[in-house]
Amino acid sequence: MANVPSLIFVTGGVRSGKSSFAERKALELAAETGGNLIYFATGVPSDVEMEERISKHQQDRAAGKYQWKTVEQSSDIGLRAVEFTKRDTILLDCVTTLLNNELFATETSWDNSFLESVKERIFNGITKIKEQSKTIIVVSNEVVYEPIHEKELVFTYGRLLGHIHRQLVKDADEAYLVEAGIPIMMKGMKA
């Protein structure tokens, strides 16, 4: 068995196929290592569209030949790390939703101290899960395709997400950008 990556980062635009690619990658790794498949969902069904997206993801996983275990945690994801073992392949979907949840969980002003604490909570959570599992695949969205300079709130969010993405790519064994359903390897070794 080849070296199994411990952190894989997958990003792309909205509806780019990144979650489907990440799920296929998780299935391949679990089949190779014989481990458990865990879908770590950060989404909160806040409106009809989100409810439909969550339901579709659940149906897609249920229809497959592999059994996924679903863990739901919308913020402070590190609290769930103790539930995982070194046999687990974990798909965390997604960082942008997690960031939203962390930022809007309280009425706190978005000063530098608060933003830094949010970033650290996300990194620490991913690191704790990575240390407890065989592999964690982290999915996120690219928002740099959208105009973010006009609104301070959106600019701050985009800048913070950019910092998170850079750190995740730095720490990742493999990193992919998915465009129109095609994964493009940004970092890692090709087989």
Side-chain angles (χ1 to χ4, degrees):
M1 177 179 2
N3 281 344
V4 176
S6 61
L7 174 60
I8 299 171
F9 179 66
V10 178
T11 189
V14 174
R15 306 286 192 270
S16 64
K18 62 191 171 297
S19 292
S20 296
F21 168 73
E23 287 179 15
R24 287 191 309 272
K25 192 79 170 156
L27 288 168
E28 289 171 13
L29 288 169
E32 182 181 322
T33 63
N36 304 310
L37 278 169
I38 298 173
Y39 191 93
F40 196 116
T42 62
V44 176
S46 55
D47 58 25
V48 173
E49 180 187 2
M50 190 63 166
E51 287 174 4
E52 289 171 355
R53 288 176 67 193
I54 290 170
S55 178
K56 182 188 179 318
H57 280 287
Q58 290 169 336
Q59 290 169 6
D60 289 348
R61 288 190 307 273
K65 74 177 196 179
Y66 294 98
Q67 184 64 42
W68 289 83
K69 175 185 174 188
T70 300
V71 172
E72 296 178 355
Q73 183 81 18
S74 61
S75 62
D76 210 357
I77 60 172
L79 295 175
R80 304 298 291 270
V82 296
E83 298 174 30
F84 307 127
T85 72
K86 285 292 188 181
R87 293 183 42 82
D88 296 336
T89 298
I90 299 168
L91 171 57
L92 186 134
D93 198 355
C94 81
V95 171
T96 48
T97 302
L98 176 61
L99 179 58
N100 287 342
N101 298 339
E102 293 284 359
L103 288 172
F104 294 106
T106 67
E107 299 272 334
T108 304
S109 67
W110 288 18
D111 61 19
N112 287 338
S113 174
F114 172 70
L115 295 174
E116 193 60 34
S117 72
V118 165
K119 186 168 62 171
E120 287 303 312
R121 195 163 37 256
I122 290 171
F123 286 138
N124 289 340
I126 291 170
T127 300
K128 285 178 184 177
I129 294 168
K130 176 184 164 187
E131 290 170 352
Q132 284 292 116
S133 63
K134 177 66 124 183
T135 301
I136 180 171
I137 300 171
V138 178
V139 177
S140 194
N141 286 293
E142 286 300 319
V143 297
V144 294
Y145 304 135
E146 308 296 327
I148 63 171
H149 63 281
E150 295 176 7
K151 304 254 189 238
E152 184 178 343
L153 179 93
V154 177
F155 176 77
T156 301
Y157 176 86
R159 191 179 75 218
L160 184 58
L161 185 61
H163 286 283
I164 292 169
H165 282 186
R166 283 196 308 268
Q167 185 65 45
L168 288 171
V169 169
K170 179 182 173 196
D171 294 347
D173 300 301
E174 295 178 8
Y176 297 87
L177 173 66
V178 179
E179 290 286 341
I182 300 171
I184 302 161
M185 182 176 262
M186 299 185 301
K187 180 182 180 182
M189 302 274 301
K190 292 193 177 194

